[in-house]
């Protein structure tokens, strides 16, 4: 090529590349680059006590799936700024490499501050909404499905306290306790408006409405609902019934779960002995009643013996955990006739200094789920709390870990993925595997 022609072609081309690079590194958190292609995925449904892949629009051609997954609650917040989105991409890619198929994360951040999604009732930051768009697109790219939690019971990221505070600031006469989140009409309307905004959102990157997005596994109504007194139990039950029906009125394609921890209430006295202590029956939630609501598609359970039984020894915690998981699987199988998903479980890295002690509690959950899956019972899967990548230490708690920094735990997680996968293969499932498959 003649030098003159080369310069005419090469220099403008390099200029375009330089300009694009400058835009990306300086404004990538503000710009939306459309996604031109996404992998095909099907929606997840339920068939009695099992999760199934719904392979046509009429709900037919089901194939069962079992879930090995994880929690990374921080994905949306880390996707706000372009400079930290690589952390999110790495977490989803590494999850797929471990054979994990479902990630549970927060789809809420209420209040003020730079990372808030909802700054006042029905008012949203588009920049943060685009961060959630990014999480969903990246999950689908890695063939990971998301459980998106819609509000926190705790004060972190605003939670139900923020909703009650907004009502007070608007001059609404609410009660002195945060339990009014579950009962006051104004506060409930705030939450319904939030649900509508999320479910009707059109992804700025893919153009797909959230209600039409197969990379979303399920909507979770609230993370770990608790009441200040057991007298609010009927109010919580009514709230779950109302909100689950409202979600279904907007979105018939996705599953809905509550987000409860699995405690048995006072009305199920024959099961309350399974609880980690008498205190657990006085929080207003009840695993059987809350999960039996028609529009709740599957039951959620959490498991933290290190927190719930701080003075117990390793044997006591392991025995409790085994019985805890088995009891809920049995109730899912025989009473609820719905899948049971352990949506949070963990082992404290502070309390258990030896890798084998950490692994013991994790292995107990994995083994109980595997035994249930072998028998085609209601134990549908488990999601470890929680996984991190390097450089996100601000989200760490005593149960958090970078899995590949703990070889024995990494191996344990991957082994669970593979043996659940073998059960699926024996059933000739047609489910598309994650991008990276360790099995």
């Amino acid at each position: 090529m003649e030098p003159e022609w080369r310069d005419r072609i090469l220099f403008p081309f390099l200029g375009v590349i330089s300009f694009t690079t400058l835009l990306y590194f300086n404004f990538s958190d503000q710009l939306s680059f459309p996604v031109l292609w996404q992998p095909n995925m099907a929606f997840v449904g339920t068939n009695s006590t099992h999760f199934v892949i719904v392979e046509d629009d009429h709900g037919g051609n089901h194939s069962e799936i079992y879930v090995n997954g994880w929690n990374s609650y921080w994905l949306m917040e880390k996707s706000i700024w372009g400079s930290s989105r690589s952390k999110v991409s790495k977490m989803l890619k590494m999850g797929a490499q471990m054979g994990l198929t479902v990630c549970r994360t927060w789809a809420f951040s209420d209040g003020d501050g730079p990372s808030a999604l909802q700054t006042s009732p029905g008012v949203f930051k588009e920049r943060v909404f685009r961060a959630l768009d990014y999480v969903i697109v990246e999950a689908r790219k890695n063939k990971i499905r998301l459980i998106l939690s819609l509000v926190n019971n705790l004060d972190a990221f605003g939670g139900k306290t923020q909703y009650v505070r907004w009502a007070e600031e608007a001059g609404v006469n609410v009660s002195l306790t945060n339990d009014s989140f579950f009962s006051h009409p104004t506060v409930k309307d705030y939450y319904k408006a939030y649900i509508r905004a999320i479910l009707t959102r059109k992804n700025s990157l893919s153009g797909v409405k959230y209600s039409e997005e197969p990379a979303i596994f399920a909507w979770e109504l609230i993370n770990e609902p608790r009441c200040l007194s057991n007298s609010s139990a009927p109010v919580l039950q009514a709230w779950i019934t109302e909100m689950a029906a409202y979600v279904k009125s907007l979105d018939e394609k996705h599953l809905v779960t509550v987000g409860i921890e699995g405690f048995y209430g006072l009305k199920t006295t024959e099961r309350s002995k399974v609880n980690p202590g008498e205190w657990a029956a006085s929080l207003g939630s009840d695993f059987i009643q809350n999960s039996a609501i028609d529009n709740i598609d599957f039951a959620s359970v959490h498991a933290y013996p290190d927190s719930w039984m701080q003075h117990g020894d390793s044997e006591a915690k392991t025995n409790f955990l085994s019985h805890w998981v088995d009891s809920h699987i049995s109730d899912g199988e025989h009473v609820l006739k719905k899948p049971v998903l352990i949506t949070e479980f963990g082992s404290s890295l502070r309390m258990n200094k030896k890798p084998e002690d950490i692994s013991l509690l994790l292995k107990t959950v994995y083994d109980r789920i595997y035994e249930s899956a072998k028998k085609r019972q209601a134990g549908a899967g488990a999601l470890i709390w929680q996984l991190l990548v390097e450089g996100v230490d601000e989200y760490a708690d005593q149960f958090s870990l970078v899995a590949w920094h703990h070889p024995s735990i990494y191996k344990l997680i991957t082994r669970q993925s593979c043996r659940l996968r073998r059960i699926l293969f024996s059933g000739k499932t047609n489910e598309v595997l994650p991008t990276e498959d360790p099995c």
Side-chain angles (χ1 to χ4, degrees):
M1 181 183 295
E2 295 292 331
E4 182 179 352
W5 285 100
R6 180 190 63 200
D7 293 346
R8 288 181 181 179
I9 296 173
L10 183 59
F11 290 162
F13 176 74
L14 291 176
V16 170
I17 294 297
S18 299
F19 179 70
T20 303
T21 303
L22 180 68
L23 281 177
Y24 178 79
F25 283 108
N26 288 279
F27 303 102
S28 59
D29 54 293
Q30 301 176 38
L31 298 175
S32 294
F33 297 98
V35 175
L36 301 179
W37 177 87
Q38 292 192 102
N40 289 327
M41 295 183 80
F43 287 90
V44 175
T46 60
N47 184 9
S48 184
T49 59
H50 302 111
F51 291 128
V52 294
I53 298 299
V54 182
E55 295 171 2
D56 63 46
D57 292 336
H58 304 290
N61 299 325
H62 295 158
S63 56
E64 294 178 7
I65 60 169
Y66 294 96
V67 172
N68 195 29
W70 84 101
N71 287 267
S72 289
Y73 75 85
W74 45 271
L75 298 183
M76 181 176 71
E77 185 164 286
K78 269 299 177 185
S79 296
I80 296 173
W81 311 106
S83 58
S84 58
R85 283 184 172 183
S86 61
K87 309 292 186 186
V88 175
S89 301
K90 181 176 181 179
M91 184 69 261
L92 292 165
K93 182 177 181 180
M94 294 303 293
Q97 287 181 0
M98 289 184 280
L100 304 177
T101 56
V102 174
C103 176
R104 178 171 170 265
T105 193
W106 296 169
F108 59 79
S109 183
D110 304 305
D112 47 21
S115 63
L117 173 58
Q118 185 177 210
T119 57
S120 60
V123 179
F124 302 90
K125 283 185 181 176
E126 178 62 20
R127 179 196 297 271
V128 183
F129 239 142
R130 290 183 181 183
L132 186 56
D133 293 344
Y134 179 81
V135 172
I136 294 170
V137 166
E138 283 295 295
R140 184 164 177 173
K141 184 170 76 174
N142 289 281
K143 297 187 175 68
I144 299 293
R145 292 185 174 91
L146 300 170
I147 296 177
L148 295 178
S149 189
L150 296 171
V151 71
N152 206 355
N153 186 77
L154 306 172
D155 290 348
F157 296 89
K160 66 181 185 182
T161 298
Q162 181 62 70
Y163 278 84
V164 174
R165 185 181 300 123
W166 280 331
E168 291 173 340
E169 291 170 352
V172 178
N173 184 20
V174 295
S175 69
L176 296 177
T177 74
N178 286 346
D179 285 358
S180 59
F181 174 84
F182 300 116
S183 60
H184 198 282
T186 297
V187 181
K188 290 194 295 182
D189 285 346
Y190 289 166
Y191 179 65
K192 283 183 176 180
Y194 184 76
I195 291 175
R196 175 176 288 275
I198 293 288
L199 271 59
T200 59
R201 167 76 175 179
K202 185 176 181 180
N203 194 305
S204 63
L205 296 172
S206 67
V208 179
K209 288 179 65 175
Y210 285 13
S211 60
E212 303 287 336
E213 176 54 73
I216 296 173
F217 184 95
W219 303 111
E220 181 182 272
L221 296 180
I222 181 170
N223 174 52
E224 298 187 339
R226 293 184 178 188
C227 301
L228 294 179
S229 73
N230 207 52
S231 62
S232 295
V235 175
L236 175 60
Q237 181 77 357
W239 182 88
I240 296 169
T241 303
E242 180 179 353
M243 297 308 166
Y246 186 69
V247 171
K248 290 291 188 179
S249 73
L250 298 172
D251 180 358
E252 296 181 347
K253 292 189 175 182
H254 287 108
L255 302 177
V256 177
T257 194
V258 182
I260 53 174
E261 296 161 274
F263 300 132
Y264 294 98
L266 294 176
K267 290 188 177 181
T268 50
T269 53
E270 72 280 5
R271 291 180 176 83
S272 60
K273 62 181 180 295
V274 179
N275 284 339
E278 293 183 4
W279 55 269
S282 63
L283 301 172
S285 65
D286 182 274
F287 175 72
I288 299 294
Q289 286 191 320
N290 299 159
S291 304
I293 293 169
D294 286 343
N295 286 310
I296 297 302
D297 297 297
F298 65 94
S300 64
V301 182
H302 293 183
Y304 289 107
D306 284 332
S307 292
W308 297 345
M309 305 170 62
Q310 295 185 17
H311 302 295
D313 59 21
S314 178
E315 182 179 2
K317 291 177 181 179
T318 303
N319 289 337
F320 159 78
L321 187 56
S322 181
H323 191 36
W324 177 255
V325 175
D326 284 347
S327 176
H328 289 83
I329 291 174
S330 177
D331 286 334
E333 185 74 20
H334 301 293
V335 180
L336 299 171
K337 303 188 185 306
K338 297 179 181 182
V340 175
L341 187 62
I342 313 297
T343 48
E344 286 188 29
F345 74 102
S347 181
S348 172
L349 276 69
R350 297 175 191 166
M351 299 176 68
N352 303 298
K353 302 300 183 183
K354 299 178 182 178
E356 56 268 28
D357 292 336
I358 299 171
S359 297
L360 179 60
L361 292 177
L362 303 181
K363 183 177 183 298
T364 298
V365 173
Y366 285 144
D367 285 349
R368 302 324 301 152
I369 293 296
Y370 177 62
E371 291 301 318
S372 174
K374 284 199 301 183
K375 299 172 185 175
R376 296 298 199 272
Q377 294 179 342
L383 302 124
I384 189 172
W385 180 280
Q386 71 153 338
L387 298 187
L388 307 174
V389 294
E390 298 86 352
V392 295
D393 296 343
E394 66 268 32
Y395 302 105
D397 57 27
Q398 63 177 313
F399 301 97
S400 303
L401 59 106
V402 179
W404 42 97
H405 291 179
H406 302 266
S408 62
I409 296 176
Y410 185 94
K411 182 178 179 181
L412 188 65
I413 295 171
T414 304
R415 173 175 174 265
Q416 180 75 350
S417 298
C418 292
R419 60 182 183 171
L420 290 178
R421 188 70 45 76
R422 284 192 290 270
I423 292 175
L424 293 179
F425 283 154
S426 69
K428 298 181 181 179
T429 180
N430 295 320
E431 166 67 335
V432 178
L433 300 181
T435 307
E436 305 286 347
D437 182 19
C439 310

